[in-house]
Amino acid sequence: MEPAHLIDSLKLKDHVAVVTGGSRGIGRAAVNCFARLGASVVVNYARDDGAAKDAIGEAEATGVGALAVQADVSLLADAERLIEATIRQFGRVDFLVCNAGIWEGSPVDQMTEQVWDRTIDLNLKGTWTVCRAAVPYMKQQQFGRIVIVSSTAGQRGEADVSNYAASKGGQISLTKSLASELGPFGINVNSVAPGWVDTDMCADAFARQGFRKALENSIPVGRVATPDDIGWPIVFLCTEWARHINGEILNVNGGSVLCG
Ligand code: NAP
């Protein structure tokens, strides 16, 4: 392939990306990466209208179409409303990034039922709800790319947040199941599994005395990921360069956890 065509094959013009939890952190970075490659973007969020408004402003500045949709994706009816709003505005849904998530927990013998349910309902069920809502449209199009944002915790476990690790492990088996189920319909399903990323989610942990330094010393590349470090691999999995990748768990962790 000629270099110019190679670059063209990375462009996502005329495609539409929906990112759950797209208003902040990793999701916001993915929204920006999609927009910079020319895809229209739908920014889903739960509570923070201001952050969502900023996110679509940033995307629109690149010249693409952008829409913010408030929806609690732990609820199927909200997920359906999100995808219907996408179809009304843009007529299709090419890329779905299942990213919205929370990280809260406690030792198992102190964990409340509410904390267990809240985590599983958003991180795991909230991945299924948006897939449930988007896949019928992707099947009609005979094209789709789904990227599920899991975590190293889903592969190696994580003490004191077993609820979170279980939700992330569930996302990984969901990825593999949907990859074989939907591949015949032109829909690829993959997961990006980040290690530590500098977002609001980890701000309290990073604020603990000495924590960040110790963490950086344990990461072979010597630093915590930026949101963009995760956003680009998410978007890569939606490009033509990744067209034969299906059912993959792409670890993006600076080499801190070497698991496949
Ligand atoms: P974040 O900065 O806390 O952002 C979370 C996003 O999710 C926000 O846009 C938030 O919107 C949205 N959200 C929260 N509850 C929602 C709901 N019920 N429905 C729809 N959207 C909702 O998080 P992040 O660090 O970017 O994490 C994103 C994903 O990466 C998560 O799945 C997380 O498990 C995974 N991950 C993160 C790390 C890390 O170190 N940060 C590491 C591995 C994996 P509002 O602001 O409106 O509530």
Side-chain angles (χ1 to χ4, degrees):
M1 211 186 265
E2 293 300 314
H5 291 123
L6 267 177
I7 302 299
D8 276 351
S9 68
L10 270 181
K11 293 195 178 139
L12 301 178
K13 198 170 165 296
D14 301 326
H15 289 79
V16 179
V18 177
V19 182
T20 71
S23 58
R24 293 191 287 116
I26 293 169
R28 170 87 162 254
V31 164
N32 281 332
C33 297
F34 277 122
R36 284 157 74 183
L37 293 182
S40 297
V41 288
V42 178
V43 174
N44 158 249
Y45 68 104
R47 284 165 289 269
D48 188 342
D49 300 312
K53 202 164 163 242
D54 288 352
I56 60 166
E58 241 170 49
E60 280 168 346
T62 69
V64 303
L67 174 70
V69 181
Q70 188 286 330
D72 175 356
V73 296
S74 64
L75 304 171
L76 180 59
D78 274 31
E80 287 173 342
R81 187 167 51 72
L82 165 66
I83 299 302
E84 280 158 18
T86 302
I87 298 296
R88 256 198 320 279
Q89 178 89 5
F90 295 113
R92 52 188 297 119
V93 52
D94 298 288
F95 313 132
L96 173 65
V97 181
C98 308
N99 163 79
I102 46 171
W103 180 58
E104 62 171 342
S106 62
V108 68
D109 51 337
Q110 293 162 35
M111 194 177 293
T112 64
E113 192 173 355
Q114 285 80 1
V115 166
W116 176 270
D117 284 348
R118 202 159 45 225
T119 303
I120 300 295
D121 281 355
L122 177 56
N123 297 8
L124 183 53
K125 185 183 165 203
T127 298
W128 169 76
T129 59
V130 285
C131 291
R132 172 70 185 83
V135 163
Y137 295 101
M138 289 180 168
K139 279 186 171 175
Q140 267 173 30
Q141 296 164 183
Q142 287 283 299
F143 178 84
R145 299 285 180 261
I146 298 174
V147 181
I148 294 175
V149 182
S150 59
S151 169
T152 50
Q155 297 169 88
R156 64 166 180 176
E158 190 172 1
D160 298 335
V161 274
S162 54
N163 52 334
Y164 179 79
S167 72
K168 295 288 154 182
Q171 285 183 310
I172 288 171
S173 30
L174 184 63
T175 299
K176 293 181 180 182
S177 306
L178 294 185
S180 50
E181 182 178 321
L182 299 176
F185 298 94
I187 304 167
N188 292 13
V189 187
N190 292 292
S191 177
V192 166
W196 289 95
V197 189
D198 213 342
T199 69
D200 298 341
M201 179 178 275
C202 308
D204 289 347
F206 289 150
R208 271 187 252 139
Q209 178 80 23
F211 181 81
R212 189 176 180 122
K213 189 79 208 130
L215 199 61
E216 284 167 352
N217 289 340
S218 73
I219 302 172
V221 300
R223 65 178 181 83
V224 164
T226 65
D228 272 359
D229 287 333
I230 314 300
W232 284 118
I234 290 171
V235 174
F236 158 71
L237 288 170
C238 297
T239 66
E240 273 300 284
W241 290 20
R243 67 186 176 199
H244 205 55
I245 301 177
N246 190 27
E248 177 64 12
I249 312 305
L250 180 58
N251 285 288
V252 188
N253 59 34
S256 56
V257 180
L258 300 174
C259 46

